[in-house]
């Protein structure tokens, strides 16, 4: 009964979902590796829906970027409209999950931070949001008990437990929905564990949720 009938398939949320909301600094060790203070409330930013890219297509490094970083994240796909929902009711608005990469032009981001400018150039470029297949909520009884990982050219770079999130998924949904109404098909990226690093043209990125799925992307210039 909780699943919403829709002409648009949530299994292909990236084809029609409008908003990508990304949470920064939601794992303590990642905040520390980038020398950021731990947040007392969630920090979030947006990517345009044109950032989506699917397996089979490459991640394209923007022309202005000299240091393209990978950040592997659990994505939460919204299944019904959420406006100022409580933490208690938040999970009723979740349709499922996807593994996502928050590709980041790190050198550009450093410049933006220094000048006090928004991060759009660093985070919102085309192909900055690779996503896996959709995983229905029923397949993941507890999204805070997952292990996510990322390899570059077969070498493990990132591995983290979603139990280490600073702000839980219900907290994030509740907090964000007070500010931005979440719609069906919207995606929340819940933050990256430590181990972010640069990738070059021709690198192969492989990422997965342990025991559930994996995906692969090539980096192009």
């Amino acid at each position: 009964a909780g699943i919403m009938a829709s002409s648009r398939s949530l299994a292909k949320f990236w084809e029609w979902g409008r908003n990508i909301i990304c949470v920064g600094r939601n794992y303590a060790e990642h905040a520390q590796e980038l020398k950021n203070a731990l947040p007392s409330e969630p920090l979030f930013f947006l990517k345009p829906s044109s950032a989506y890219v699917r397996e089979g297509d490459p991640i394209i490094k923007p022309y202005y970027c000299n240091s393209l970083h990978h950040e592997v994240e659990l994505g939460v796909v919204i299944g019904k409209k959420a406006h100022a929902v409580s933490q208690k009711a938040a999970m009723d608005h979740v349709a499922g999950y996807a593994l996502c990469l928050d590709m980041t032009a790190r050198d550009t981001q450093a410049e933006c931070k220094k000048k006090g400018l928004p991060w759009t150039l660093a985070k919102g470029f085309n192909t900055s949001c690779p996503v896996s297949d959709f995983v229905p909520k029923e397949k993941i009884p507890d999204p805070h008990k997952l292990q996510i990982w990322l390899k570059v050219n077969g070498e493990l770079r990132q591995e983290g437990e979603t139990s280490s999130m600073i702000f839980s998924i219900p907290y994030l949904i509740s907090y964000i929905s007070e500010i931005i109404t979440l719609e069906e098909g919207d995606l929340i990226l819940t933050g990256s564990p430590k181990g972010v690093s640069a990738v070059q043209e021709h690198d192969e990125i492989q990422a997965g949720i342990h025991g559930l799925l994996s995906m692969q992307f090539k980096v192009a210039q």
Side-chain angles (χ1 to χ4, degrees), residues 9-213:
S9 160
L10 277 160
K12 293 198 165 179
F13 65 89
W14 56 84
E15 288 183 354
W16 54 272
R18 291 198 304 187
N19 295 311
I20 303 172
I21 293 136
C22 306
V23 178
R25 302 177 197 166
N26 201 24
Y27 288 78
E29 291 176 333
H30 171 60
Q32 285 153 5
E33 76 182 344
L34 294 181
K35 306 202 171 18
N36 291 315
L38 292 189
S40 54
E41 57 187 358
L43 155 81
F44 68 91
F45 56 89
L46 306 174
K47 288 182 189 268
S49 54
S50 50
Y52 280 127
V53 62
R54 292 275 298 152
E55 235 177 327
D57 285 322
I59 294 166
I60 313 257
K61 190 175 179 178
Y63 68 89
Y64 48 79
C65 169
N66 292 312
S67 180
L68 180 65
H69 275 209
H70 55 75
E71 299 190 5
V72 66
E73 318 207 357
L74 179 67
V76 177
V77 181
I78 299 298
K80 67 174 182 186
K81 187 173 180 166
H83 171 64
V85 297
S86 68
Q87 285 188 61
K88 210 172 141 205
M91 295 308 286
D92 299 342
H93 295 264
V94 173
Y97 304 92
L99 188 67
C100 310
L101 303 183
D102 169 14
M103 298 304 297
T104 303
R106 193 70 72 200
D107 51 338
T108 309
Q109 187 186 31
E111 280 296 298
C112 292
K113 282 181 177 177
K114 208 157 65 187
K115 295 176 181 165
L117 294 173
W119 296 0
T120 309
L121 262 69
K123 295 282 197 178
F125 53 89
N126 286 347
T127 75
S128 62
C129 192
V131 291
S132 73
D133 289 345
F134 173 76
V135 183
K137 178 157 77 168
E138 303 71 57
K139 287 207 172 153
I140 298 181
D142 184 352
H144 300 98
K145 287 199 172 121
L146 299 174
Q147 192 180 45
I148 56 177
W149 57 269
L150 179 142
K151 295 176 178 176
V152 178
N153 304 326
E155 182 195 327
L156 188 66
R157 297 272 183 95
Q158 289 188 271
E159 195 168 32
E161 314 279 342
T162 55
S163 58
S164 309
M165 286 182 192
I166 297 170
F167 302 107
S168 70
I169 291 167
Y171 187 96
L172 293 173
I173 291 170
S174 177
Y175 180 86
I176 293 166
S177 75
E178 289 263 4
I179 302 160
I180 296 175
T181 299
L182 296 165
E183 304 277 0
E184 188 186 356
D186 284 354
L187 179 70
I188 300 173
L189 270 58
T190 57
S192 176
K194 73 174 194 300
V196 303
S197 65
V199 288
Q200 314 300 334
E201 190 180 5
H202 308 307
D203 278 353
E204 289 277 356
I205 300 176
Q206 238 185 329
I209 303 173
H210 196 68
L212 260 183
L213 62 84

